[in-house]
């Protein structure tokens, strides 16, 4: 099944990214540091989302309109008194030229909702923040349900598209690591 293959074949990249982010979150000491973290996500996810939206619509993801959007990061940044940064373009981003590659990138974005609640707790615990956490809180109590629906859509994709989706997901993880390195 595609969802399981994605999990297995992107595990190493997820762990690497998670390690980097946990280190960064543990180093947060102020609201300004947190705004910088949100700007990192806004820039990369924002650029990705623009590419993804060229190929994904409600025919492929029926509840696409209800899924988390980069605008929620902009709202958190603004609420905390910051301004959203520039979005990633061109080579900052993985290649997304068709619906399969877009699904691979979306796997990374949607999957990040699962770690999001952990991140949100780490940040509110460290900084004592009560607001500006909507992005990392993602779908709240519905997070696992939304993830189950997304995985079903992945598993409905034709078998021959699997390598393309997996490659795009790995490349989405790696480009995010590059993006973080360049902006820290
Ligand atoms: C501090 C950072 C992070 C932590 C602690 C974390 C933790 C987790 C955990 C615990 C899960 C599994 C949840 C479950 O199966 O119920 C998960 C899944 C996932 N996370 Fe993260 N995560 C982090 C950051 C990220 C980021 C930044 C991304 C993407 C940019 C990401 C992408 C994913 C994906 C795609 C999955 C789904 C794996 C699957 O196919 O089941 N994570 N994460």
């Amino acid at each position: 099944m595609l969802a399981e293959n994605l999990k297995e074949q992107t595990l190493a990249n997820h762990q690497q990214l998670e390690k980097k982010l946990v280190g960064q979150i543990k180093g947060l000491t102020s609201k300004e540091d947190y705004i910088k973290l949100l700007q990192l996500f806004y820039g990369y996810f924002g650029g990705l989302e623009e590419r993804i939206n060229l190929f994904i619509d409600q025919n492929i993801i029926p509840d696409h309109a209800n899924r988390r959007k980069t605008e929620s990061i902009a709202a958190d940044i603004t609420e905390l008194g910051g301004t959203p940064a520039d979005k990633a373009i061109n080579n900052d981003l993985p290649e997304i030229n068709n619906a399969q590659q877009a699904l691979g990138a979306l796997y990374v974005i949607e999957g990040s909702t699962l770690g999001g609640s952990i991140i949100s707790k780490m940040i509110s615990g460290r900084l004592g923040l009560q607001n500006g956490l909507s992005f990392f809180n993602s779908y709240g109590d519905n997070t696992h349900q939304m993830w189950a629906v997304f995985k079903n859509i992945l598993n409905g994709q034709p078998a021959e598209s699997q390598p393309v989706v997996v490659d795009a997901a790995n490349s989405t993880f790696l480009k995010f690591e590059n993006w973080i390195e360049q902006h820290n």
Side-chain angles (χ1 to χ4, degrees):
M1 297 291 253
L2 178 55
E4 262 172 53
N5 290 343
L6 274 163
K7 181 174 187 163
E8 260 175 48
Q9 291 174 38
T10 62
L11 183 67
N13 281 325
H14 177 271
Q15 284 175 342
Q16 206 167 296
L17 177 65
E18 182 183 321
K19 203 169 148 198
K20 195 170 266 182
L21 280 172
V22 169
Q24 181 151 351
I25 293 166
K26 286 190 173 154
L28 297 183
T29 56
S30 65
K31 192 177 78 173
E32 285 66 33
D33 289 346
Y34 175 47
I35 291 174
K36 280 192 197 128
L37 180 74
L38 285 170
Q39 285 169 332
L40 274 183
F41 275 85
Y42 177 81
Y44 189 67
F45 279 23
L48 266 185
E49 191 173 272
E50 283 181 6
R51 292 293 304 169
I52 289 169
N53 286 346
L54 299 176
F55 303 100
I56 298 285
D57 58 21
Q58 60 197 30
N59 292 318
I60 301 175
I61 312 265
D63 62 355
H64 188 50
N66 299 335
R67 287 187 178 266
R68 187 178 65 163
K69 298 286 176 290
T70 310
E71 280 318 300
S72 69
I73 316 180
D76 285 344
I77 294 173
T78 309
E79 194 171 343
L80 295 169
T83 37
D86 289 342
K87 289 181 183 173
I89 52 166
N90 303 331
N91 280 341
D92 298 331
L93 296 169
E95 195 185 299
I96 303 176
N97 292 324
N98 53 52
Q100 278 74 37
Q101 289 177 326
L103 276 174
L106 204 51
Y107 165 79
V108 178
I109 293 188
E110 287 294 323
S112 74
T113 62
L114 300 171
S117 60
I118 302 173
I119 297 179
S120 163
K121 284 196 193 93
M122 285 172 76
I123 290 168
S124 60
R126 286 198 64 78
L127 301 178
L129 279 179
Q130 306 298 331
N131 59 354
L133 292 161
S134 72
F135 172 69
F136 287 120
N137 281 330
S138 54
Y139 308 125
D141 291 345
N142 289 332
T143 301
H144 284 278
Q145 166 66 12
M146 294 292 279
W147 180 241
V149 170
F150 182 70
K151 282 205 295 190
N152 273 338
I153 294 167
L154 290 176
N155 287 335
Q157 299 304 306
E160 60 273 19
S161 68
Q162 294 205 13
V164 179
V165 182
V166 172
D167 275 0
N170 272 319
S171 165
T172 304
F173 271 117
L174 289 172
K175 291 274 184 174
F176 191 29
E177 279 208 45
N178 289 345
W179 176 259
I180 293 173
E181 264 161 34
Q182 278 166 27
H183 291 83
N184 268 339

